[in-house]
Amino acid sequence: WPRRSRGAPSRRSGCGRRRISDGLAWPEAGEVLQSDEGPVRLLTRRPMAGDGARFDGILRGRPCAVLVTTSSDPEGVHAWWAEAAERAAGLLQAPSWTGVAGAWRVTVTPSPTGPCLSDGLAALREAGSGELKTLLDAIERWVTPLVDALASVHAGGSALGLFDPEELRWADDRLSLAAPPPPPGSPLRRHVRGFSSPEHLGHCGGAIDARTDVFFAGLALYYVLTRVAPIAEASEFTHPLPPPHVFRDELPPLLCAVARRAVSPIPDRRYPDAG
C-alpha cells in the first residue's frame, strides 16, 4: 500500500486500491496510537487484504500485530479477522484490545516471539546435510506441528489457504499465526516465492481449500528434506517439483513419497486434507 496523498483524491485509484477519504491517509510506521491499554507504536507495515493497514507494533514493551481501519470499517475487515481467528482453531491469539483511536478502529493482538518457518528452513540450509536423526528432528520441529494444527482446522470443515512462511511462528512450542490469511474471495493474490500454490495464482480454478493447506505443509516437508532454497516453479501447475531424492539420494523413500504427493501442482492429486 503506497503512501496516500493528503490532497483531494478520488475514492479509488487506477490500480483499484481504495483511498480512505479526502485529507486522510493511513498512519505510517513510527506513529503512536493511543489505546485503552497504553500507547501503541507502529513499526513495520505488513501486507494486508481488504480496506485496512497492518503493522508490527509495540505495546508495553511487547511485540504485537496492529490492525487499522477507518472507524466505520466499511468492508468489515475486523469482522473477518475475528472470523478467521475462530476458523484457525487456536492458531491465532486473541486480541488484547479493540477500539477506536482517533480516526481509526484498531485491533491489537499479541505477537508470537519465536522463530518463523522461514527462519527455520534457512537455518537448516546453512547447517548442511547432517545425519538422518537430525533430519527427523527437523521434521518434528517444523513440519509435524504444522500438519497437526492444519488437521484440526480441516476436521472442523475449514481451511486457511496458507501461503506465507513468515506468518507462521513458534513460541513456547506452540504454533501461531501472526495474522489471518486473506478471507475467501479476497482480491489479494500476493505471491510468495516458492510457497504460493497454483491456486493462489488463479490456476486450477483458483479455489482455496484444504488441499491448498496440504500444498503448503508439503512444501515445508519438501524443503526440510531437500534443504534447498524455495523454488519459484512451485507455483506453476505445468512444472512439478523434482522428487526430493534428486537433491539428496540418502533420503527415506516414504517421506519423499509423502512430500511429492502433497506438493502436486494438481490439487486433486494431493492428500484431501492434513489428516
Side-chain angles (χ1 to χ4, degrees):
W1 291 78
R3 181 175 179 178
R4 282 147 172 85
S5 168
R6 295 185 184 272
S10 62
R11 284 293 294 174
R12 188 168 295 275
S13 65
C15 65
R17 291 174 177 169
R18 185 184 301 274
R19 300 183 185 278
I20 305 172
S21 66
D22 295 351
L24 185 64
W26 292 116
E28 298 179 356
E31 293 188 31
V32 176
L33 303 179
Q34 297 299 325
S35 76
D36 291 350
E37 299 295 316
V40 182
R41 180 173 295 278
L42 306 180
L43 303 178
T44 307
R45 189 166 181 173
R46 295 296 185 184
M48 177 68 198
D51 198 6
R54 180 168 68 96
F55 297 85
D56 292 337
I58 293 290
L59 173 63
R60 294 180 175 177
R62 301 189 63 180
C64 59
V66 185
L67 172 64
V68 180
T69 67
T70 57
S71 57
S72 61
D73 192 15
E75 295 187 1
V77 174
H78 289 267
W80 71 251
W81 186 290
E83 186 274 333
E86 181 177 352
R87 179 163 45 96
L91 286 177
L92 276 170
Q93 299 191 47
S96 60
W97 181 77
T98 297
V100 175
W104 313 111
R105 181 169 176 78
V106 179
T107 291
V108 177
T109 304
S111 295
T113 56
C116 66
L117 179 57
S118 292
D119 295 337
L121 295 177
L124 288 172
R125 289 198 301 273
E126 294 172 0
S129 57
E131 300 178 351
L132 178 60
K133 183 180 184 305
T134 303
L135 172 69
L136 297 178
D137 287 344
I139 292 173
E140 289 294 327
R141 173 75 172 89
W142 297 104
V143 183
T144 302
L146 172 59
V147 175
D148 288 345
L150 288 175
S152 296
V153 173
H154 297 165
S158 298
L160 297 180
L162 297 177
F163 65 99
D164 190 344
E166 292 192 2
E167 300 284 9
L168 274 168
R169 292 188 172 272
W170 274 256
D172 300 324
D173 295 326
R174 179 178 181 268
L175 180 63
S176 295
L177 276 171
S186 168
L188 180 68
R189 290 190 183 276
R190 185 163 63 88
H191 176 50
V192 178
R193 183 182 183 274
F195 281 94
S196 295
S197 70
E199 303 95 278
H200 280 116
L201 273 67
H203 301 309
C204 306
I208 306 298
D209 57 20
R211 287 180 169 86
T212 307
D213 293 337
V214 167
F215 183 86
F216 182 88
L219 284 172
L221 174 60
Y222 185 94
Y223 293 136
V224 167
L225 291 172
T226 61
R227 301 194 180 189
V228 299
I231 300 173
E233 289 82 0
S235 302
E236 299 297 328
F237 73 99
T238 56
H239 292 79
L241 291 175
H245 60 74
V246 167
F247 300 96
R248 302 183 185 278
D249 56 13
E250 74 276 14
L251 294 174
L254 289 179
L255 281 176
C256 291
V258 171
R260 189 74 192 280
R261 179 177 174 185
V263 300
S264 171
I266 308 300
D268 287 344
R269 295 180 182 174
R270 302 172 200 154
Y271 297 99
D273 54 56

